[in-house]
């Protein structure tokens, strides 16, 4: 591999810094959708009317405007669930294709669904989502606090979380369920005539608006037995704390898992980074915004290792151990510009993680309505990383039918020229927004 461009880094590095140019912001958007429908011609219980009229305006959330303290149990649960989910997805062949998922987006969508689960269905979902021992009031309050705390973490970083509940005008839901999604998840609740040809575009326009156009469609068509759509959108707009100098981007070899060499634009930068290295991998944190409260983490397996070996050790316990070992260190990094789309149906994955009952006729979502079961969970994502920042989006659809001090160290060199793992993490709450692997930058 040609790495002569880094040969002088030891002697010249400490005197050299690339200028930081302020450019346009990049966007990271994630959206999660929960689709509910009713088996056959049956309806959700109409004894109590949860929604009075289309376009129902929402009450203000009953949250006290005080200093918000993040419930670490919920963040820990989200991250544990995220790593379990990722490992199950990657199990068949992690080197087969690029993977990109938003565990937070999926977790929020399923948490709102979890509010309507009862009995053994609730227990199965709690196990899968790592929510054992956490009551519903505690869960919902924690998500409300997380939402409030994490929005707009930096003057140069915007983060917005939006939820909405779209209900067929012929359907009545449990009032408690609607109130919970409204008060704690700040969901916009709207009655809609699902038979009207404009219903699909109305829902998709909300998705497009709340992802700044990065996701323009989540509903292709509305089936006659559809009851409701529950949608979550996450929007992140930030720029690197230190942007990559475009003049330093040069074609360099990238080696795929099969050993094939492909020329690809590689961005280069030097500076002081939070960095960690062990016999298995190198890892670096590339921060966004002025305060670096959110970062892109790159994990590059060593030449004597690979993504498969790395993924076998990737879990919440090891992740926290690795995070605690990052420390400031001078160095140089070469990172490929990469862009990838990802599409997966998560039914089998969630069943393997213990949620099988929620997909069966035994499902109990009586907290939402009668005779409901999950029919399909789909997840689609997009991510683009370049010199100015990161742009990404994710869509998750869940269909429901009824049945310190240190010794001086030499500058590191990190050439990301082979398959690697990445994660986008909020460094204050420790919440992980995105994670994935790149086996071949597009």
């Amino acid at each position: 591999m040609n790495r002569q461009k880094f040969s002088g880094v030891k002697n010249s590095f400490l005197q050299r810094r690339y200028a930081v140019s302020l450019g346009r912001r990049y966007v990271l958007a994630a959206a999660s959708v929960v689709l509910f429908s009713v088996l056959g011609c049956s309806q959700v219980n109409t004894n109590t009317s949860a929604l009075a009229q289309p376009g129902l305006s929402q009450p203000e959330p009953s949250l006290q405007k005080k200093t918000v303290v993040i419930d670490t149990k919920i963040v820990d649960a989200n991250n544990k669930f995220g790593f379990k989910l990722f490992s199950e997805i990657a199990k068949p062949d992690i080197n087969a294709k690029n993977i990109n998922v938003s565990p937070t987006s999926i977790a929020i969508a399923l948490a709102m669904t979890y509010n309507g689960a009862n009995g053994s269905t609730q227990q199965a979902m709690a196990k899968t989502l790592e929510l054992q021992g956490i009551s519903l009031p505690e869960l919902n309050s924690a998500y409300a606090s997380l939402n409030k705390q994490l929005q707009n973490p930096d003057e140069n970083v915007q983060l917005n979380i939006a939820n909405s509940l779209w209900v067929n005008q012929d359907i009545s839901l449990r009032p408690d369920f609607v109130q919970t999604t409204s008060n704690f998840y700040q969901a916009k609740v709207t009655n809609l005539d699902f038979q009207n040809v404009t219903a699909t575009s109305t829902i998709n326009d909300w998705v497009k608006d709340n992802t700044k156009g990065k996701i323009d469609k989540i509903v292709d068509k509305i089936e006659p037995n559809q009851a409701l759509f529950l949608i979550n959108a996450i929007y992140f707009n930030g720029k690197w704390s230190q942007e990559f100098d475009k003049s330093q981007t040069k074609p360099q070899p990238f080696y795929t898992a099969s050993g094939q060499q492909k020329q690809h634009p590689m961005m280069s930068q030097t500076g002081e980074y939070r960095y960690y290295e062990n016999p298995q991998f190198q890892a670096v944190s590339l921060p966004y915004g002025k305060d670096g409260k959110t970062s892109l983490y790159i994990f590059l397996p060593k030449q004597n290792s690979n993504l498969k070996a790395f993924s076998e050790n990737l879990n919440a316990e090891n992740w926290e151990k690795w995070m605690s070992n990052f420390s400031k260190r001078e160095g140089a990094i070469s990172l490929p510009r990469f862009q990838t789309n990802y599409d997966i149906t998560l039914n089998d994955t969630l069943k393997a993680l213990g949620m099988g009952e929620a997909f069966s006729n035994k499902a109990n979502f009586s907290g939402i309505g009668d005779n409901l079961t999950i029919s399909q969970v789909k997840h689609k994502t997009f991510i683009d990383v370049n010199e100015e920042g990161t742009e990404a989006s994710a869509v998750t659809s869940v269909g429901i039918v009824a049945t310190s001090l240190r010794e001086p160290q030499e500058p590191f060199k990190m050439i990301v020229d082979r398959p690697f793992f990445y994660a986008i993490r909020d460094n204050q709450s420790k919440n992980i927004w995105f994670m994935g692997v790149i086996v071949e930058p597009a």
Side-chain angles (χ1 to χ4, degrees):
M1 290 179 279
N2 181 13
R3 302 185 180 178
Q4 283 84 350
K5 67 175 289 183
F6 293 103
S7 61
V9 69
K10 177 179 178 182
N11 295 325
S12 64
F13 171 76
L14 297 178
Q15 288 75 37
R16 180 160 55 88
R17 295 284 178 88
Y18 292 121
V20 178
S21 61
L22 295 178
R24 64 184 179 84
R25 295 182 180 178
Y26 262 72
V27 177
L28 167 61
S32 300
V33 180
V34 180
L35 305 94
F36 296 76
S37 58
V38 186
L39 184 63
C41 298
S42 65
Q43 293 186 347
V44 176
N45 179 22
T46 57
N47 292 331
T48 56
S49 177
L51 302 172
Q53 56 186 339
L56 180 69
S57 61
Q58 296 310 299
E60 289 296 320
S62 56
L63 300 176
Q64 295 181 357
K65 295 184 178 181
K66 296 181 179 180
T67 301
V68 179
V69 178
I70 297 296
D71 188 336
T72 58
K73 289 191 293 184
I74 298 303
V75 172
D76 290 345
N78 282 354
N79 291 345
K80 287 179 181 178
F81 165 68
F83 286 120
K84 287 195 311 182
L85 184 83
F86 179 84
S87 295
E88 190 66 31
I89 291 171
K91 188 182 293 183
D93 185 1
I94 195 171
N95 292 309
K97 61 180 178 179
N98 297 335
I99 298 173
N100 180 38
V101 296
S102 173
T104 297
S105 181
I106 298 169
I108 291 174
L110 290 176
M112 288 189 283
T113 310
Y114 177 71
N115 269 274
N118 283 307
S120 56
T121 300
Q122 185 186 61
Q123 295 170 12
M125 292 188 72
K127 181 179 179 181
T128 298
L129 298 174
E130 297 289 342
L131 299 177
Q132 300 100 321
I134 301 175
S135 68
L136 273 177
E138 185 179 8
L139 172 72
N140 295 327
S141 295
Y143 267 118
S145 297
L146 189 68
N147 183 1
K148 189 174 183 180
Q149 177 72 19
L150 296 184
Q151 297 213 44
N152 302 321
D154 185 289
E155 66 178 75
N156 289 323
V157 177
Q158 288 184 324
L159 176 66
N160 296 304
I161 303 171
N163 296 301
S164 63
L165 185 64
W166 306 85
V167 186
N168 189 340
Q169 65 177 10
D170 297 328
I171 299 297
S172 295
L173 303 182
R174 304 283 193 257
D176 288 348
F177 176 77
V178 177
Q179 185 176 4
T180 295
T181 56
S182 174
N183 287 356
F184 293 96
Y185 297 88
Q186 301 183 44
K188 170 189 176 183
V189 183
T190 305
N191 271 350
L192 206 59
D193 179 4
F194 280 7
Q195 302 308 309
N196 192 307
V197 293
T198 64
T200 299
S201 60
T202 299
I203 297 171
N204 287 331
D205 285 347
W206 184 92
V207 171
K208 186 175 181 179
D209 183 60
N210 282 278
T211 59
K212 307 300 181 185
K214 300 307 170 184
I215 298 173
D216 59 8
K217 180 186 290 187
I218 187 58
V219 179
D220 292 317
K221 61 181 295 187
I222 299 177
E223 299 295 340
N225 61 348
Q226 207 81 49
L228 61 92
F229 296 90
L230 190 65
I231 303 177
N232 161 260
I234 300 175
Y235 172 75
F236 175 87
N237 183 339
K239 53 189 176 184
W240 299 122
S241 297
Q242 178 178 329
E243 294 182 11
F244 287 83
D245 185 343
K246 290 183 178 180
S247 69
Q248 300 299 318
T249 300
K250 309 291 182 183
Q252 291 187 47
F254 186 93
Y255 298 84
T256 65
S258 63
Q260 184 180 8
Q261 177 180 327
K262 295 187 176 183
Q263 291 294 312
H264 192 80
M266 299 284 279
M267 310 180 296
S268 295
Q269 188 182 91
T270 61
E272 185 180 57
Y273 309 92
R274 292 180 62 242
Y275 176 81
Y276 173 53
E277 181 176 352
N278 66 23
Q280 286 75 47
F281 60 77
Q282 289 178 277
V284 68
S285 169
L286 301 176
Y288 301 100
K290 289 185 176 181
D291 297 329
K293 294 178 180 177
T294 306
S295 296
L296 173 69
Y297 287 82
I298 301 293
F299 286 76
L300 178 67
K302 293 285 186 69
Q303 292 281 11
N304 60 353
S305 186
N306 53 46
L307 276 180
K308 186 175 186 300
F310 174 82
S311 67
E312 290 172 351
N313 291 310
L314 182 61
N315 55 52
E317 182 180 358
N318 282 337
W319 176 263
E320 288 304 315
K321 186 189 303 179
W322 297 337
M323 290 295 105
S324 67
N325 283 320
F326 275 76
S327 61
K328 288 289 185 70
R329 185 169 166 184
E330 299 280 0
I333 181 170
S334 184
L335 175 69
R337 289 201 308 237
F338 65 88
Q339 181 182 115
T340 184
N341 294 282
Y342 187 67
D343 185 347
I344 186 173
T345 298
L346 292 171
N347 289 30
D348 291 341
T349 301
L350 293 171
K351 289 176 183 179
L353 295 178
M355 257 182 64
E357 181 175 311
F359 293 86
S360 73
N361 290 332
K362 297 179 181 180
N364 182 349
F365 288 102
S366 56
I368 301 172
D370 297 327
N371 305 318
L372 300 175
T373 184
I374 296 177
S375 61
Q376 189 177 62
V377 179
K378 295 186 67 178
H379 192 56
K380 295 182 179 181
T381 61
F382 166 84
I383 188 166
D384 182 8
V385 173
N386 63 27
E387 291 87 349
E388 295 171 323
T390 299
E391 182 175 19
S393 59
V395 177
T396 306
S397 66
V398 181
I400 295 188
V401 297
T403 157
S404 83
L405 287 176
R406 54 191 171 86
E407 292 293 324
Q409 295 176 291
E410 293 190 6
F412 68 85
K413 291 187 294 184
M414 186 170 171
I415 305 174
V416 187
D417 61 357
R418 53 191 181 275
F420 60 93
F421 173 86
Y422 65 89
I424 296 176
R425 173 185 186 255
D426 180 86
N427 294 319
Q428 287 190 311
S429 69
K430 302 182 181 180
N431 189 72
I432 299 171
W433 297 107
F434 279 82
M435 64 174 68
V437 296
I438 295 297
V439 299
E440 182 177 341

